[in-house]
Amino acid sequence: MRTIQTIKQASLITAIKTPYTMNGEIDLSMYDKLVDAQIAGGVDGIIVGGTTGEGQLMNWEEHLMLIAHSVNKFSDRLIIVGNTGSNNTREAIKATEYGFASGMDAALQINPYYGRTSIEGVKTHFERVLDIGPAFIYNVPGRTGQDLTPDIIEPLAKHANFIGVKECGGNERIAHYESQGIACWSGNDDEAHDSRHRFQSHGVISVASNLIPGLFRQLMDKENVELNQKLTPLMQWLFCEPNPIAINTALIMTGAVKPVFRLPYVPLDKTQQQQGIALINQLNEVDVVGGKAKPIDETLLKLC
């Protein structure tokens, strides 16, 4: 396991996609190829089984297996962060304990969603999981229905195992936290460049870097307004429907993964696919995981 200070040095962490075989099982061979592409692109770490990796569609056996596999295969080259969060505190505790027993460097923890609780309940939930080991706290009110405001985060930041926040609440909030020494990673790809270079974020936990890891590495390493402007339409297209629908579609269109969706996710429609193809194919093929994009062959598509 890496130290919290080492983890904080990571500026580009990919919320890695989970690929599937044609019968809907996790495709470890293809997963390894995706992670190898991240390493080649200069990514510092991966989130395993996050929203983008569809941890919400896995059972815990699959989820924890994938964390353990990632540790065994890639921990010498990448920071491994396991999404072991849950809206059920007991499940989050158990999964987090298993994740650390498997050797992950850190956990990603989210506040209870759907069955929302009080502010005190949120704080207690996080205190219990932080007691287990180093963790990022993820604030994404669009999915949880509850914003983790500074009055919640700032006391939690004093915990010895608190790494920082994956923050989807915008760059002004990130700047506020960073001014207090609270590490933040942008959770919004299209804001990440400015977050890094103008609002002093530690970096980004990215969806788009699944597709363009090397280009995103450039955005994090040095201010590059021209490249950011060029990539922003693609980053915005990747959220034209709830994540991970578009990134799944994109990686199928480039041939990086097999044409399989786990329901309730289904591909983007033909018009949306054409929009994505135009945005992807304007880039150099070597910069895109899988290469040139083309429409999904619906005769090969599997919905599991």
Side-chain angles (χ1 to χ4, degrees):
M1 286 178 57
R2 294 166 172 86
T3 67
I4 288 177
Q5 288 309 313
T6 298
I7 295 169
K8 284 184 176 182
Q9 294 172 19
S11 59
L12 178 55
I13 301 172
T14 297
I16 192 73
K17 150 93 178 143
T18 302
Y20 303 109
T21 64
M22 293 307 293
N23 65 1
E25 300 302 316
I26 293 175
D27 188 337
L28 289 178
S29 176
M30 190 65 72
Y31 177 82
D32 291 349
K33 291 178 182 178
L34 293 180
V35 178
D36 281 335
Q38 296 300 306
I39 294 169
V43 168
D44 299 307
I46 54 174
I47 305 285
V48 182
T51 305
T52 308
E54 300 181 11
Q56 64 275 14
L57 303 188
M58 297 179 194
N59 59 46
W60 279 116
E61 182 181 42
E62 291 177 309
H63 202 147
L64 294 170
M65 175 279 294
L66 194 58
I67 291 172
H69 173 82
S70 300
V71 169
N72 291 333
K73 190 87 174 180
F74 300 108
S75 63
D76 59 333
R77 291 172 286 170
L78 288 171
I79 294 167
I80 307 298
V81 182
N83 169 33
T84 54
S86 174
N87 62 345
N88 178 330
T89 305
R90 291 169 64 89
E91 282 196 356
I93 289 170
K94 186 175 181 180
T96 301
E97 289 173 341
Y98 275 116
F100 281 117
S102 298
M104 70 182 186
D105 294 296
L108 181 72
Q109 301 289 353
I110 198 163
N111 53 304
Y113 45 89
Y114 186 71
R116 288 174 53 185
T117 185
S118 64
I119 298 302
E120 286 305 311
V122 169
K123 291 178 180 178
T124 303
H125 172 88
F126 281 127
E127 287 166 356
R128 293 292 177 87
V129 292
L130 281 167
D131 284 343
I132 302 167
F136 295 83
I137 291 178
Y138 183 16
N139 182 37
V140 56
R143 289 185 180 271
T144 65
Q146 188 173 32
D147 189 13
L148 298 178
T149 50
D151 61 304
I152 298 171
I153 294 296
E154 288 167 8
L156 290 170
K158 298 174 183 177
H159 195 290
N161 285 328
F162 177 94
I163 299 170
V165 185
K166 178 185 178 184
E167 180 59 72
C168 294
N171 285 338
E172 295 294 339
R173 181 176 287 179
I174 287 174
H176 168 76
Y177 285 141
E178 289 284 358
S179 70
Q180 298 185 58
I182 298 174
C184 281
W185 286 258
S186 177
N188 298 325
D189 283 335
D190 60 348
E191 296 178 350
H193 172 269
D194 289 353
S195 176
R196 173 74 166 158
H197 300 293
R198 300 181 185 179
F199 295 87
Q200 288 71 57
S201 77
H202 276 54
V204 64
I205 297 177
S206 174
V207 174
S209 56
N210 277 280
L211 187 67
I212 48 170
L215 295 177
F216 229 109
R217 177 75 274 164
Q218 293 180 43
L219 290 182
M220 292 298 99
D221 286 348
K222 185 177 180 180
E223 187 168 11
N224 189 331
V225 174
E226 182 179 356
L227 179 60
N228 187 53
Q229 289 176 341
K230 180 179 181 180
L231 295 177
T232 293
L234 174 59
M235 291 187 260
Q236 293 176 340
W237 173 81
L238 286 169
F239 292 87
C240 65
E241 297 287 0
N243 183 50
I245 294 169
I247 191 64
N248 287 352
T249 301
L251 290 170
I252 291 171
M253 292 195 304
T254 66
V257 300
K258 295 181 178 69
V260 182
F261 275 77
R262 276 192 179 181
L263 292 167
Y265 300 126
V266 297
L268 296 178
D269 65 31
K270 291 181 180 179
T271 299
Q272 292 168 317
Q273 288 184 37
Q274 289 297 334
Q275 292 167 347
I277 289 167
L279 292 167
I280 293 168
N281 288 348
Q282 72 176 345
L283 304 175
N284 292 327
E285 187 172 353
V286 294
D287 291 325
V288 178
V289 174
K292 290 291 183 183
K294 61 182 181 181
I296 293 174
D297 184 343
E298 294 186 1
T299 65
L300 301 177
L301 182 66
K302 285 286 295 293
L303 303 178
C304 301

